[in-house]
Amino acid sequence: MAASDVAVGIIFLAQTVVGALGNSSLLLHYLVLYFTGCRVRHTDLILQHLIVANLLTLLCKGVPQTMAAFGMKGFLSDVGCKLLFYLHRVGRGVSIGSTCLLSVFQAIKISPEDSSCSELKVNIPKYIGSSTYLGWILYLLVNVVFLLHMTERSNKNVTILKDFGYCSGVRHDTTTDSLYTALLTFPDAIFVGLMLWASSSMVLILHRHKQRMQQVHKSSSPRSSPESRATKTILLLVSTFVSFYTLSCMFQVCLGVIYNPNWFVVSTAAIISGCFPAVSPFLLMSRDSTASRIHSTWVQNRKNVSHVRKIYII
């Protein structure tokens, strides 16, 4: 086994372990909030779907890629290859859709009351649940193509297969591969465009808000509001996502168009596709703390109990 294979295997292993621990910790965070009766925010549902999608992306790609890099190739059956590749693509797509929904929701939420989004600002929380599930349905349907064209690596007809390390894909002519690539990237391009629009809107709103605050508080520097802090975190999340996605998309296009992609392109594309799912939970952890929300709920419950006691005594 070459030293380069060992190095790539270590990168895959570290990325998968760190990302899985980060996303699992964040999922535990929401379970603790749920069982302690904390107030659920509208964005919590989106983040829960994002966490599940990140775990799906990391585990379905990172684990088999790690095993393949360490020399354990051809360990998956035809059904296993199809299922793992399919679930990885679905998780990747839902991660894109959830990040987009999160940024659009926050942009509408912090928009001024007199803006064109005022009516949508009131009604958008009702559509969060249906939008997240619609994202799952969309990517479950779009990525069915991988169930048809992925196969086990030990397939005898190797002349028509692209080697992806632990699985193989059926080769087509350049026109067909380009059409498949366009079909798969079209929903992603729409979501990324919406993300960029929402991020630009949030930056503009925050800039105007900062200017107004400087005029009102010329001699003081008040703390930013919770909405402002949440918006800055989402902007950081979106900018990180767009950076990694742009690189990943370039390599995915290469994989789709190149007739026989080499080991470097395949490995680099897999590493980059796992960067955002591995990094995003740590960006989100800075947004909120479990302890502070549990404490706020505890204080509120104490106030409610005290109020009830006063009424009973009177």
Side-chain angles (χ1 to χ4, degrees), residues 29-46:
H29 165 90
Y30 286 109
L31 288 174
V32 170
L33 293 178
Y34 174 78
F35 285 113
T36 52
C38 290
R39 181 175 63 88
V40 178
R41 296 170 179 169
H42 295 302
T43 54
D44 286 347
L45 179 61
I46 307 174

Side-chain angles (χ1 to χ4, degrees), residues 157-172:
N157 197 3
V158 294
T159 57
I160 61 165
L161 299 180
K162 291 182 180 181
D163 186 8
F164 290 105
Y166 62 96
C167 285
S168 298
V170 178
R171 288 193 187 116
H172 301 94

Side-chain angles (χ1 to χ4, degrees), residues 65-184:
Q65 285 283 9
T66 302
M67 295 174 68
F70 283 120
M72 293 177 281
K73 298 180 179 180
F75 57 91
L76 284 173
S77 65
D78 187 62
V79 174
C81 275
K82 292 178 186 296
L83 189 61
L84 280 181
F85 223 92
Y86 175 68
L87 291 177
H88 162 72
R89 291 292 306 190
V90 170
R92 180 179 178 275
V94 173
S95 179
I96 296 172
S98 298
T99 308
C100 173
L101 182 60
L102 188 67
S103 58
V104 170
F105 174 80
Q106 192 65 21
I108 294 173
K109 183 180 177 183
I110 67 170
S111 61
E113 296 294 337
D114 57 348
S115 68
S116 57
C117 298
S118 57
E119 286 188 25
L120 192 58
K121 189 174 183 178
V122 177
N123 296 321
I124 193 171
K126 302 175 186 176
Y127 305 113
I128 287 179
S130 57
S131 298
T132 51
Y133 291 115
L134 190 62
W136 282 98
I137 294 171
L138 172 65
Y139 281 102
L140 283 169
L141 294 175
V142 168
N143 290 290
V144 167
V145 64
F146 287 102
L147 293 176
L148 304 174
H149 299 296
M150 297 305 300
T151 184
E152 59 184 315
R153 195 172 182 272
S154 58
N155 194 306
K156 305 253 186 229
N157 197 3
V158 294
T159 57
I160 61 165
L161 299 180
K162 291 182 180 181
D163 186 8
F164 290 105
Y166 62 96
C167 285
S168 298
V170 178
R171 288 193 187 116
H172 301 94
D173 59 89
T174 306
T175 304
T176 304
D177 282 340
S178 299
L179 287 174
Y180 279 135
T181 303
L183 171 67
L184 294 170

Side-chain angles (χ1 to χ4, degrees), residues 295-306:
H295 176 72
S296 300
T297 303
W298 179 75
V299 170
Q300 186 63 37
N301 290 339
R302 292 259 335 236
K303 287 181 180 179
N304 292 338
V305 171
S306 176

Side-chain angles (χ1 to χ4, degrees), residues 209 213 220-226 228-229 232:
H209 177 72
M213 289 297 100
S220 62
S221 55
R223 288 185 61 188
S224 58
S225 65
S228 178
R229 292 195 298 273
K232 290 174 182 176

